[in-house]
Amino acid sequence: MTGKLSHSSASNANASPTGIARRIVGYFAGVVGVLLLAASAFWWRGEAEWGRFEPLTPEQAFAEGSFGLELAPLKYILVASNVSATALGTSWIRRFGFLSRKTPAAGACEADAPQNLPVGFTVSNRLPGSATPLPVKFVGLSCAACHAASIGESGPILGVGTQTADVIGFTDAFLNAVLDPALNSKIILGAYDRQCPGEASGFRAQAARWVEAFFIDRWLSGVRAQTRENVTKYDLPYHGAELGSPDNIPTGPSRTRPFRSVVRNTLDLPGAKNIAYSKVPLAAMQGLKRWSQFDGSIGDPVVRSMIAVFTSGASLAALNEPQISDNIVKAAAYTLRRGIDPPLPSLAETFPNRPKPSAETLEKGHLVYVRACDGCHGHPNGAGWSLPSASGDPPSITPLPEIGTDPGRIIFRYADMLPIALSATLPAADVTVQREALVAQSAKAIRQGDLAQADWWNEAIIALEARSREFPAGHRRAFPAGDVTQRDGYQNAPIPFIWLRAPYLHNGSVPTVRQLIGLDERPTRFCRGDAGYDPIAIGVIAPPPGANGCDSKAPFLFDTTQPGNSNAGHLHPPPGTVAREELEALLAYVGTL
Amino acid sequence: MTTARRSDPLPFGLALLLLGAGVVAFTLLSLSADDVSYARTEWTALLSMLLATPAVLLYVLDRGTPGPWWRAFWTVGLIAYLLHFWWAVFRSFNGDLGAVVERQGWVAYTNFAVTGLWTLDVLIAWVLPGRADTLARIVLRSVTWAAVTASFLAAAALFRTGTIAQIGDALALALVIAFLVRVLGLARLLAGEPK
């Protein structure tokens, strides 16, 4: 009725003033509509270009790939020491132990990036959080931010666990910086223009600047909202001198709290009491064992890398991006081969002035190794490694009561929930098996009288269905539940390049091999930071605290009497069973591994 | 009637404006979403439903051949639906039609059928407007209307919760009212009452 009236009257009305106005409005509306559609299409084309898939090599992916861990706009990072000096300090790269790329010729402008950023800080056009491509450059973290170390005079060695970076301290300082009420795009871009004058001249550059300002403000607004939303679960971030206090941030340099993150990200439960402190491990030679992690809990290298990225803050949407998903696969492949191809430097190559042990000493040390270590850790075999448990599946685990090391990484609240919950976080194409696993967990909780946990599992089923709608073809990084499992102890893993694994034990509570094998007493309290490497004792230099605590070179006080920090256990060779001279030979021998 | 359809730019102009505004809005607003691709898949479906709703209702209300307003909104609703189809297939399902079928079963075929029917219906409405009253055309138009409307109602009111379900409920209510208006108008006509 309405339609007929409209068009039947239109022909008569076309010539009238009303008809002319109608035509003008009609054409104008149509043209504007088409322009809006064209602008949208132009934007989508841009997204395809900004997020263009680039097949990286495994090493490139590991060192420079985007993993959905974008932090902030590049221009903000380049001026952060200036505009966020209160929160970050004037030299945040050094303060938080990140590695310089050792390219002093690089300037401080966008064109010089990433050479003017720390190792592992990469540049992409991806929006923090969703990883959506944008016409603005952002800085994110790659594997190398945590898995690279500079030892002796060497430049950064990829794949080695950081010995200096305080990632959690940096995160709190960074959150403080972006919550600064005075910070906005005008401040950031103004500081950048003073640092790199002349870049914003011309119409195109000015138009790009408007877009950039818009997205910087949107990013600030988003990260602030997210931080505020999380604050009841994560608490307010620490700032200033608080950042270095182990009472506030107990991890310090070279350690993280991976399970606090998993509990928060996966279970959406508080993780503040979680004391599973872990050193950042050597991410090399991973192909020597089937199961990874200190407790041998993850059976697939890609799943291991994906979980590492997820616990570092990547969203599910980001992990499903083709480029990011591919980078994870490549980075995982890199960890399998790193150490063989490309090789890692030996202790002797890195410290050529270190006294070379005699062949006799090495042979003696080898014999001690065979007696005291080989039964669990195996031994070198050509370019590979022979383990007592040849298949490695399931991995050889030394139960916690037997190994006696800190239990915080094995025993913590919700540890039993994590394997199933993690596998059900990323929906498969067919979620039947995942749903059944969650239903079984709910039933089990009810049988145990844990009704709150049963409710949690029921909610997890609803969340799984919702995520299944979000990823109807299945999440690219979905994995079977059997790839992650709970263990009751620590894995007897191969230990090639033991000199690159310092500090020792899973929680980094023993600074040197010399202390680990009982040649020196394991220190109860020591200072960690960037005090250097000791090639004689094989490990990090960790001076004892002075009367005024730790100094600026190694500012973090590591107290092994605190929960999660125990340096007990793994008493191998057992004290008193091996002569001191033989222990010295063992030290010399393991320095060659 | 045909001349009028060609010469009156207002219905399609306004419909295009609404489509353009909607597309720009979902493109930019989705940048704040946790999952941009998913948000765009959802929001294009919603945009399609909102834009096609006037045409769906006009079809019920109009006793004769649907006019230019119907065609305008029927067309932009289809364009938004095709955007939804593209995002769903090429982003959510990674371009794998087999995965769509595996996931949705027979529903996938009905979705493909709706897409094909609707596209054909709109093409004919523009290319062969003079044959609007042939039996084949009436049948195609009726079947397409029924398929699209059922698809909207099922997708929104039945299978979803929250705001989308409420919009689906609103569409269902509007349809009932439109049918009542049509039936009452028909009854008055049969009774010989003036319009």
Side-chain angles (χ1 to χ4, degrees):
Chain A
M1 181 164 38
T2 315
K4 277 176 85 76
L5 282 173
S6 302
H7 61 71
S8 60
S9 60
S11 57
N12 297 329
N14 275 345
S16 69
T18 314
I20 292 170
R22 185 184 176 93
R23 290 174 68 82
I24 290 172
V25 171
Y27 281 123
F28 179 76
V31 168
V32 172
V34 168
L35 287 176
L36 290 174
L37 286 173
S40 302
F42 184 70
W43 184 268
W44 302 333
R45 179 78 189 86
E47 285 183 353
E49 187 59 32
W50 305 317
R52 188 159 40 88
F53 182 87
E54 291 180 29
L56 304 180
T57 66
E59 182 168 326
Q60 285 172 331
F62 187 90
E64 302 289 349
S66 167
F67 290 91
L69 297 174
E70 277 67 21
L71 285 173
L74 172 59
K75 286 183 180 169
Y76 169 65
I77 294 292
L78 292 175
V79 299
S81 297
N82 178 0
V83 299
S84 296
T86 306
L88 294 171
T90 53
S91 175
W92 63 268
I93 296 175
R94 188 171 180 76
R95 178 185 182 190
F96 295 105
F98 294 112
L99 300 180
S100 162
R101 290 188 195 239
K102 294 200 178 237
T103 45
C109 301
E110 190 175 85
D112 303 302
Q115 294 309 316
N116 51 11
L117 299 173
V119 171
F121 281 59
T122 66
V123 178
S124 76
N125 281 79
R126 294 188 179 278
L127 182 67
S130 65
T132 297
L134 285 185
V136 178
K137 291 195 183 307
F138 287 87
V139 171
L141 301 180
S142 75
C143 307
C146 290
H147 295 283
S150 185
I151 299 175
E153 296 304 309
S154 77
I157 308 173
L158 282 181
V160 180
T162 178
Q163 296 182 350
T164 53
D166 180 359
V167 180
I168 294 180
F170 170 70
T171 305
D172 273 33
F174 174 77
L175 290 177
N176 249 294
V178 296
L179 287 170
D180 175 0
L183 190 67
N184 57 40
S185 63
K186 200 174 169 187
I187 298 281
I188 292 168
L189 294 175
Y192 181 81
D193 285 342
R194 286 190 294 280
Q195 190 165 298
C196 303
E199 282 191 15
S201 58
F203 176 74
R204 275 179 70 100
Q206 196 55 53
R209 175 57 56 91
W210 290 330
V211 172
E212 199 165 38
F214 174 79
F215 281 110
I216 288 175
D217 284 328
R218 292 295 306 153
W219 159 73
L220 269 174
S221 163
V223 73
R224 285 169 177 166
Q226 187 71 54
T227 308
R228 290 184 199 116
E229 190 183 317
N230 285 345
V231 84
T232 53
K233 194 168 57 173
Y234 287 28
D235 219 333
L236 282 174
Y238 289 104
H239 74 283
E242 293 175 351
L243 293 167
S245 167
D247 293 335
N248 300 327
I249 301 179
T251 42
S254 82
R255 298 201 304 171
T256 63
R257 301 175 73 174
F259 291 101
R260 182 180 69 158
S261 303
V262 183
V263 164
R264 286 169 167 175
N265 291 5
T266 308
L267 306 182
D268 200 24
L269 291 170
K273 290 182 182 173
N274 189 295
I275 55 165
Y277 310 141
S278 291
K279 71 176 177 184
V280 180
L282 179 73
M285 307 291 284
Q286 295 290 314
L288 297 181
K289 56 188 180 184
R290 158 88 165 79
W291 291 81
S292 56
Q293 302 288 296
F294 293 112
D295 56 357
S297 56
I298 302 182
D300 181 296
V302 175
V303 174
R304 179 211 61 209
S305 293
M306 185 279 295
I307 290 176
V309 174
F310 181 53
T311 57
S312 300
S315 67
L316 292 183
L319 293 172
N320 197 50
E321 275 291 306
Q323 178 78 66
I324 293 171
S325 180
D326 188 64
N327 287 346
I328 289 171
V329 174
K330 299 268 180 60
Y334 181 73
T335 66
L336 300 183
R337 295 286 301 163
R338 178 57 168 153
I340 301 167
D341 179 24
L344 282 166
S346 68
L347 180 63
E349 288 164 352
T350 308
F351 295 98
N353 297 327
R354 175 178 178 265
K356 194 176 176 185
S358 68
E360 187 188 356
T361 301
L362 291 179
E363 179 54 28
K364 191 184 289 182
H366 175 242
L367 292 175
V368 181
Y369 181 88
V370 169
R371 274 203 329 265
C373 313
D374 189 50
C376 290
H377 291 295
H379 57 268
N381 178 12
W385 195 272
S386 291
L387 275 173
S389 167
S391 72
D393 191 17
S396 169
I397 300 284
T398 301
L400 203 49
E402 191 180 326
I403 191 75
T405 50
D406 191 280
R409 200 179 187 285
I410 305 293
I411 301 168
F412 57 89
R413 192 172 189 195
Y414 312 126
D416 58 329
M417 294 172 70
L418 282 176
I420 298 293
L422 259 172
S423 72
T425 298
L426 285 74
D430 181 350
V431 296
T432 306
V433 173
Q434 290 170 308
R435 190 191 302 113
E436 284 171 355
L438 294 175
V439 169
Q441 289 296 311
S442 175
K444 182 179 166 191
I446 288 173
R447 282 197 304 276
Q448 293 172 342
D450 193 344
L451 304 182
Q453 194 183 114
D455 179 68
W456 190 96
W457 290 113
N458 291 344
E459 290 296 309
I461 295 168
I462 296 169
L464 173 67
E465 302 293 351
R467 284 192 296 269
S468 178
R469 275 200 301 276
E470 185 177 346
F471 304 102
H475 193 285
R476 279 192 168 86
R477 298 269 59 85
F479 61 92
D483 279 349
V484 179
T485 191
Q486 190 183 10
R487 306 289 186 199
D488 61 357
Y490 292 100
Q491 183 177 198
N492 301 315
I495 50 172
F497 297 102
I498 191 170
W499 76 279
L500 289 173
R501 297 172 187 268
Y504 299 95
L505 298 185
H506 72 272
N507 58 0
S509 57
V510 182
T512 67
V513 175
R514 193 173 175 84
Q515 294 156 348
L516 182 72
I517 62 176
L519 268 168
D520 288 347
E521 194 175 335
R522 296 178 182 180
T524 304
R525 299 168 85 228
F526 54 89
C527 298
R528 287 283 288 114
D530 192 11
Y533 192 91
D534 182 347
I536 307 298
I538 306 180
V540 294
I541 296 173
N548 296 320
C550 296
D551 65 19
S552 60
K553 191 80 175 160
F556 181 79
L557 177 64
F558 194 121
D559 185 345
T560 62
T561 65
Q562 294 300 308
N565 282 353
S566 171
N567 63 359
H570 191 279
L571 299 174
H572 298 288
T577 61
V578 177
R580 190 166 184 81
E581 183 194 2
E582 287 183 312
L583 287 177
E584 293 280 6
L586 175 63
L587 178 66
Y589 174 73
V590 297
T592 67
L593 292 178
Chain B
M1 185 167 64
T2 305
T3 310
R5 278 179 185 163
R6 284 179 183 157
S7 61
D8 182 5
L10 189 64
F12 195 55
L14 282 182
L16 267 180
L17 179 64
L18 289 175
L19 173 69
V23 168
V24 165
F26 89 70
T27 298
L28 295 181
L29 291 176
S30 61
L31 294 175
S32 303
D34 293 336
D35 186 335
V36 174
S37 291
Y38 180 59
R40 288 179 181 173
T41 305
E42 292 270 290
W43 293 355
T44 42
L46 192 59
L47 181 66
S48 174
M49 191 164 77
L50 291 175
L51 288 173
T53 291
V56 167
L57 297 178
L58 278 174
Y59 188 82
V60 177
L61 289 166
D62 203 331
R63 281 203 298 271
T65 306
W69 288 100
W70 167 82
R71 189 177 63 173
F73 283 95
W74 199 231
T75 302
V76 295
L78 170 69
I79 295 171
Y81 187 80
L82 292 176
L83 286 175
H84 164 70
F85 190 84
W86 188 91
W87 248 286
V89 172
F90 290 98
R91 299 306 298 262
S92 294
F93 281 98
N94 308 325
D96 185 353
L97 284 175
V100 179
V101 173
E102 193 174 325
R103 164 86 184 189
Q104 296 185 335
W106 62 270
V107 174
Y109 294 110
T110 64
N111 287 338
F112 295 150
V114 165
T115 310
L117 278 174
W118 199 352
T119 306
L120 185 65
D121 194 38
V122 166
L123 282 176
I124 291 174
W126 283 96
V127 177
L128 301 170
R131 297 187 188 174
D133 296 326
T134 61
L135 180 62
R137 182 73 188 91
I138 290 169
V139 169
L140 173 67
R141 203 161 53 223
S142 303
V143 169
T144 306
W145 176 88
V148 171
T149 305
S151 173
F152 282 157
L153 289 175
L158 284 184
F159 295 140
R160 301 308 298 269
T161 56
T163 309
I164 296 178
Q166 287 167 357
I167 291 171
D169 292 342
L171 174 62
L173 181 65
L175 270 172
V176 169
I177 293 170
F179 271 114
L180 284 175
V181 169
R182 175 77 181 270
V183 168
L184 289 175
L186 192 66
R188 278 203 302 271
L189 192 70
L190 290 174
E193 291 178 19
K195 280 186 187 175

